Amino acid sequence: MFGKLSDLRVRGAKPREKVYKLSDGNMLELVIFPTGTKTWKLSYSINKKRKTISLGEYPVVGLGQAREKALAVKTLAGSGVDPVAHRQQAASDKERVKEASGRTLETVAREWVDRFGKDWAPGHANKTIRRMELYLFPLVGKKLITELTPVNLLGCAKPLQSAGKTETAYRLLRTVSQVLRYCIANGYGIDRDITADLRGALPSAKTSHLAALTKPDDIAALLKSIDQFSGKNESVKNCLRLAPHVFLRPGELRGIKKSWVNLEKKEIVIPAETMKTRVEHVVPLSAQASGIVSDALLGNDTEYLFPSPIDKTRAISNMALLVALRRMGYSNTEMTAHGFRAMASTNLEHLGFDIRTIELQLAHADTNGVRAAYKRDTSRLQMQQRATMMQQWSDWLERLDGQ
């Protein structure tokens, strides 16, 4: 194999007028240049092609080390891996890690949101960034991701927990975990998610449900309050009137575009990109809901069913319904804009409707992983049952309102 050369012969090799080589065997050679430079070269075969790779200069790389490098190259080539391509990839990885070592948490967090945020539910990207801007970036945003520690992150979460915002603290840490896993996948100089070290460091977050009115007498009073609502903005009143009949999420409700409405078919079709579940959603309209939608369309020359009174190119704000409920006298522990969903879900089940039909109309994600994996178009499942349910629900609301 190797062994034709000795340290003495390598050290004593003098430059000549022309380049010459000394062989150590098995295609390992020391190339001596007229300038006096001595370089180790190794020839090898890959895919029936002969190639040559440099193993470094002597005396930086001695005879023993040259043989070790040569053996490693031969082993790679023998397994079908081109040593030159392998070296280039290793250099590229090293450069990427070097570049990543200068990245701060804020830099990679914003990069992560930019890359994936376009596929999230509307508003989620803004909420995620805003949470980090408030509670993460001011404290550790300038820290290099390679220097970030669990203690640093706990220092961001603890003040939130002390302020009674434990759920926000957990959400913040979950976001950081996703950012760090993004860094790992992209070779940004870290190899583990350090948020795992914080398990048990914070007390469990208490689950709190958004306030909702679910008792018939309370619902009747709410409906009367909506009828009597005297706000100047007709968009807000019409949106409030429709909310009990369609029980959409507040963002989905206020953002309805006129082009999604089909009064002939008595339905609203909400595109997948607007839905939290990222699946197209069809809302059958009862006779009562169709009447409210018709009122909202009357004289409406904007894109939206419920346009903002300030900017006609936008829908009413995400706070509009909540502010209206507060003006009607409902506190945040009594009723929220999201509460119309709980109102419907609770009472529809009590009225005897199938839970699967209710879940489909609420546009809840399917929690059965196998079933969800094989389903594709769910927007029109059980449409007849859903349309019947929506009409009977509106009739029930109308009877309450008339009490």
Side-chain angles (χ1 to χ4, degrees), residues 50-107:
R50 182 162 176 163
K51 294 187 175 184
T52 301
I53 187 171
S54 173
L55 303 181
E57 293 185 2
Y58 179 86
V60 176
V61 177
L63 177 58
Q65 191 176 0
R67 288 170 177 170
E68 290 176 2
K69 286 189 171 188
L71 183 58
V73 168
K74 293 282 187 180
T75 301
L76 275 176
S79 63
V81 177
D82 188 340
V84 171
H86 179 75
R87 175 182 287 182
Q88 290 171 343
Q89 182 61 50
S92 175
D93 291 344
K94 185 176 180 181
E95 186 61 32
R96 189 165 61 250
V97 170
K98 181 180 178 182
E99 178 188 355
S101 66
R103 296 175 187 263
T104 64
L105 178 59
E106 180 172 353
T107 300

Side-chain angles (χ1 to χ4, degrees), residues 2 4 18 28 32 34 43 88 98-99 113 117 157 169 209 221-222 227 229 233 250 300 309 311 328 345 371 376 389:
F2 308 121
K4 291 183 178 181
K18 295 183 179 181
L28 174 61
I32 300 97
S43 297
Q88 290 171 343
K98 181 180 178 182
E99 178 188 355
V113 173
H209 298 287
L222 173 62
D227 290 340
F229 181 67
N233 187 347
N300 184 345
D311 183 354
M328 289 157 52
S345 178
R371 185 170 59 213
R376 291 298 180 265
M389 180 182 72

Side-chain angles (χ1 to χ4, degrees), residues 74-147:
K74 293 282 187 180
T75 301
L76 275 176
S79 63
V81 177
D82 188 340
V84 171
H86 179 75
R87 175 182 287 182
Q88 290 171 343
Q89 182 61 50
S92 175
D93 291 344
K94 185 176 180 181
E95 186 61 32
R96 189 165 61 250
V97 170
K98 181 180 178 182
E99 178 188 355
S101 66
R103 296 175 187 263
T104 64
L105 178 59
E106 180 172 353
T107 300
V108 294
R110 291 188 183 277
E111 179 183 317
W112 169 71
V113 173
D114 286 343
R115 183 164 300 185
F116 298 106
K118 60 182 179 294
D119 297 322
W120 297 345
H124 180 59
N126 289 337
K127 288 180 183 178
T128 300
I129 277 291
R130 186 59 181 153
R131 190 181 300 122
M132 290 192 287
E133 288 175 341
L134 287 173
Y135 308 119
L136 187 72
F137 295 160
L139 296 175
V140 295
K142 302 305 179 188
K143 273 193 168 293
L144 299 179
I145 55 170
T146 52
E147 297 176 354

Side-chain angles (χ1 to χ4, degrees), residues 297-324:
L297 289 171
L298 191 63
N300 184 345
D301 59 355
T302 73
E303 179 183 5
Y304 293 94
L305 187 62
F306 307 116
S308 164
I310 301 172
D311 183 354
K312 297 297 184 181
T313 65
R314 304 177 64 180
I316 57 175
S317 75
N318 59 350
M319 291 297 292
L321 295 184
L322 191 61
V323 170

Side-chain angles (χ1 to χ4, degrees), residues 313-385:
T313 65
R314 304 177 64 180
I316 57 175
S317 75
N318 59 350
M319 291 297 292
L321 295 184
L322 191 61
V323 170
L325 287 168
R326 298 296 169 263
R327 287 187 58 188
M328 289 157 52
Y330 291 98
S331 70
N332 59 3
T333 60
E334 292 176 307
M335 186 62 184
T336 62
H338 207 279
F340 290 105
R341 290 168 59 79
M343 173 195 296
S345 178
T346 301
N347 285 282
L348 284 169
E349 195 168 352
H350 288 165
L351 292 171
F353 288 98
D354 181 70
I355 187 64
R356 179 73 179 133
T357 308
I358 299 170
E359 290 291 293
L360 282 169
Q361 198 51 56
L362 285 166
H364 280 159
D366 199 324
T367 55
N368 184 308
V370 175
R371 185 170 59 213
Y374 285 94
K375 283 189 311 185
R376 291 298 180 265
D377 183 10
T378 62
S379 64
R380 293 190 177 274
L381 286 177
Q382 297 191 18
M383 279 305 299
Q384 185 57 54
Q385 296 95 317

Side-chain angles (χ1 to χ4, degrees), residues 241-243 245-248 253 256-258 260-270 282-294 297 305-306 361 380 383 386-395:
R241 290 172 62 207
L242 187 62
H245 295 273
V246 294
F247 37 95
L248 290 165
L253 174 64
I256 293 174
K257 293 184 178 181
K258 293 192 300 185
W260 303 348
V261 177
N262 188 327
L263 286 178
E264 288 186 11
K265 291 185 177 181
K266 292 186 176 181
E267 66 181 25
I268 297 173
V269 181
I270 304 178
V282 180
V283 182
L285 295 175
S286 64
Q288 294 87 338
S290 295
I292 297 168
V293 170
S294 295
L297 289 171
L305 187 62
F306 307 116
Q361 198 51 56
R380 293 190 177 274
M383 279 305 299
R386 286 157 62 187
T388 299
M389 180 182 72
M390 298 295 272
Q391 183 57 59
Q392 292 184 20
W393 170 249
S394 286
D395 291 344

Side-chain angles (χ1 to χ4, degrees), residues 162-299:
S162 299
K165 299 179 179 179
T166 303
E167 179 56 37
T168 302
Y170 273 101
R171 287 181 181 177
L172 185 68
L173 291 178
R174 282 196 293 269
T175 297
V176 174
S177 175
Q178 290 174 292
V179 171
L180 294 181
R181 282 183 275 132
Y182 169 77
C183 292
I184 295 168
N186 285 278
Y188 283 180
I190 61 173
D191 57 11
R192 61 184 296 268
D193 174 8
I194 60 174
T195 62
D197 296 340
L198 295 177
R199 287 176 187 149
L202 295 175
S204 299
K206 295 180 180 179
T207 302
S208 59
H209 298 287
L210 293 168
L213 299 174
T214 56
K215 294 180 179 179
D217 288 346
D218 294 333
I219 297 172
L222 173 62
L223 294 174
K224 287 182 173 59
S225 294
I226 292 175
D227 290 340
Q228 298 165 8
F229 181 67
S230 58
K232 295 179 181 179
N233 187 347
E234 283 298 312
S235 287
V236 174
K237 182 164 184 175
N238 285 329
C239 193
L240 272 175
R241 290 172 62 207
L242 187 62
H245 295 273
V246 294
F247 37 95
L248 290 165
R249 296 176 181 89
E252 297 160 0
L253 174 64
R254 69 180 181 82
I256 293 174
K257 293 184 178 181
K258 293 192 300 185
S259 58
W260 303 348
V261 177
N262 188 327
L263 286 178
E264 288 186 11
K265 291 185 177 181
K266 292 186 176 181
E267 66 181 25
I268 297 173
V269 181
I270 304 178
E273 60 269 19
T274 302
M275 296 297 297
K276 180 180 180 181
T277 55
R278 315 309 281 174
V279 176
E280 181 185 87
H281 185 54
V282 180
V283 182
L285 295 175
S286 64
Q288 294 87 338
S290 295
I292 297 168
V293 170
S294 295
D295 290 344
L297 289 171
L298 191 63

